[in-house]
Amino acid sequence: AWIWFAPASVYGPAAIAIPIWWISVTLHRRLTTIKPSTRTALLTGIAAGIVANFRSDFLLLTLFVFTAATLAGLINSPKKESLDKIKSLAIVFAVTLLTLLPWGIYNQINGEGFRLTSSNGGGVATISLGQLPGNSWGITPRDEFLVRYMESNSNETASPFDPTSDRLFWELFIDSIIDDPTEFAKKMLWNLKNSLLGGLYVGDIDTFGGVNSSERLDNWKESLKRLAGLNSNPNPESNSAESSGILSYQLALFVFGVAITAVTALLVIVAIGALILKTKIPASDTSDATLAAIVIGVLILIALFQYQPRHLSTAAPALIVLALPVINHWTSRLDNSRFLQKLRARSVR
């Protein structure tokens, strides 16, 4: 319920898309682990297509996860079964694209050209470069940058998210990477760091007059320092440290937000650690290719494009499945440790 509620608090389409996407993932897993079926492939493609109609950013993730999971399923499979799995994957992709066809026709009729996705991808990709502080491109991670860029190119009336602007910003995104690939590598590492430390999306919690920055945890930390009379260094892109004070309920939400962020950050770190180290971590189980593909796919898209905690929350069920066995193993060992046994013995006395 929390995984659904968090995006629902600010992104209605995502609240619809995420559960349907996990239905499509579950159906596709049947194709790769149980038995290829034309009917299951059709249902998988329909579900994936519905998701892509609500949120275009799921399309790349779906293509990656389904392809990676299918390729992993081909290992040690008989030739006929392998061909059936490839056929099922082709059906899934074909049906997914057919489900998007009405949107493409609608765009064509309305003079925006035939396109199967939304027209904000280029703008989002461009401002995602600005998530690296002090980047060499001079890009800031805000929509205002796109507006200023349009104005500087004598195009003040056009929306930064129309099809023409979309192509313009995709070109700017690619040119920026070509101009300074080292800076782009730094940006990817920066986003991955935030993925590890920022935790999952916890909902839209209004703590200091509105927290809307992807560096939310850093802002909270600096705001707390400011309230304690210490020198703070708030993110200039956020107003979260500019409040004159906080109400009691806001303090409670602040404590809750920091706590849940820390807990979910630990969840992410343990899950990714289990994924990387595999059997070297006791109780880790990464044999499920679909779970691994989901986590890897989400991290790749976050590194390449935009980091927001809500993006990582898409993979929350996979992260939970990967992390909980490891956490359960170590908490059991802690529970059976000599130290706690001695404490229990003393409390009984």
Side-chain angles (χ1 to χ4, degrees):
W2 160 66
I3 294 169
W4 174 84
F5 169 77
S9 64
V10 286
Y11 289 97
I16 299 172
I18 289 176
I20 299 176
W21 186 73
W22 274 96
I23 291 173
S24 73
V25 168
T26 303
L27 289 169
H28 183 264
R29 190 176 179 278
R30 290 177 59 87
L31 294 174
T32 57
T33 61
I34 301 177
K35 183 181 179 181
S37 163
T38 301
R39 178 185 176 185
T40 304
L42 289 172
L43 292 174
T44 304
I46 291 171
I50 292 173
V51 171
N53 272 285
F54 278 101
R55 295 289 303 182
S56 296
D57 50 339
F58 275 88
L59 190 56
L60 280 177
L61 179 62
T62 301
L63 294 175
F64 175 85
V65 170
F66 288 1
T67 301
T70 299
L71 292 176
L74 297 181
I75 300 174
N76 298 325
S77 293
K79 183 176 181 181
K80 184 181 184 305
E81 186 177 330
S82 296
L83 291 175
D84 288 341
K85 289 179 179 179
I86 294 173
K87 176 185 174 183
S88 296
L89 180 65
I91 293 173
V92 170
F93 287 163
V95 173
T96 300
L97 294 177
L98 284 173
T99 309
L100 289 169
L101 192 59
W103 176 246
I105 295 173
Y106 172 83
N107 287 330
Q108 182 69 39
I109 293 174
N110 285 273
E112 296 186 355
F114 184 82
R115 58 187 301 124
L116 298 178
T117 60
S118 60
S119 56
N120 68 336
V124 172
T126 295
I127 61 176
S128 73
L129 297 175
Q131 291 192 304
L132 177 66
N135 62 84
S136 63
W137 306 296
I139 297 175
T140 55
R142 302 167 76 80
D143 292 348
E144 287 79 359
F145 172 84
L146 304 178
V147 175
R148 292 197 304 270
Y149 186 84
M150 298 291 292
E151 292 173 349
S152 67
N153 283 271
S154 303
N155 201 346
E156 300 179 9
T157 58
S159 166
F161 302 118
D162 66 24
T164 302
S165 301
D166 186 46
R167 289 189 288 271
L168 172 69
F169 285 120
W170 274 118
E171 291 175 2
L172 177 60
F173 174 72
I174 294 171
D175 289 343
S176 299
I177 296 173
I178 294 174
D179 289 343
D180 198 341
T182 303
E183 195 78 344
F184 184 66
K186 291 179 182 177
K187 176 256 182 185
M188 293 176 65
L189 293 174
W190 177 263
N191 282 10
L192 288 174
K193 180 216 75 170
N194 289 337
S195 297
L196 289 175
L197 302 180
L200 302 178
Y201 186 57
V202 298
D204 202 26
I205 298 175
D206 188 1
T207 53
F208 292 96
V211 180
N212 56 9
S213 171
S214 62
E215 293 293 297
R216 186 178 64 248
L217 186 58
D218 289 340
N219 287 329
W220 285 345
K221 177 192 66 178
E222 297 302 333
S223 298
L224 190 60
K225 286 168 59 179
R226 180 176 179 272
L227 292 173
L230 302 174
N231 291 328
S232 64
N233 181 30
N235 186 332
E237 297 299 331
S238 170
N239 296 323
S240 63
E242 299 303 322
S243 173
S244 58
I246 57 175
L247 301 176
S248 58
Y249 82 94
Q250 288 179 314
L251 177 60
L253 288 176
F254 170 77
V255 173
F256 168 77
V258 171
I260 196 69
T261 299
V263 169
T264 54
L266 177 63
L267 177 76
V268 173
I269 292 172
V270 172
I272 294 175
L275 189 64
I276 295 173
L277 299 177
K278 298 181 180 179
T279 55
K280 293 181 180 179
I281 296 182
S284 65
D285 181 11
T286 59
S287 58
D288 194 310
T290 299
L291 294 178
I294 290 170
V295 175
I296 293 171
V298 166
L299 290 175
I300 288 175
L301 291 177
I302 285 175
L304 290 175
F305 301 109
Q306 189 181 45
Y307 162 74
Q308 295 285 353
R310 58 186 170 84
H311 296 154
L312 193 62
S313 292
T314 301
L319 294 167
I320 291 170
V321 172
L322 288 170
L324 283 187
V326 179
I327 294 174
N328 181 62
H329 171 80
W330 287 105
T331 53
S332 297
R333 290 193 60 174
L334 177 63
D335 187 55
N336 295 322
S337 64
R338 292 181 180 178
F339 175 72
L340 288 183
Q341 287 178 359
K342 289 179 180 179
L343 285 180
R344 291 193 193 98
R346 289 179 182 177
S347 64
V348 172
R349 295 174 187 173

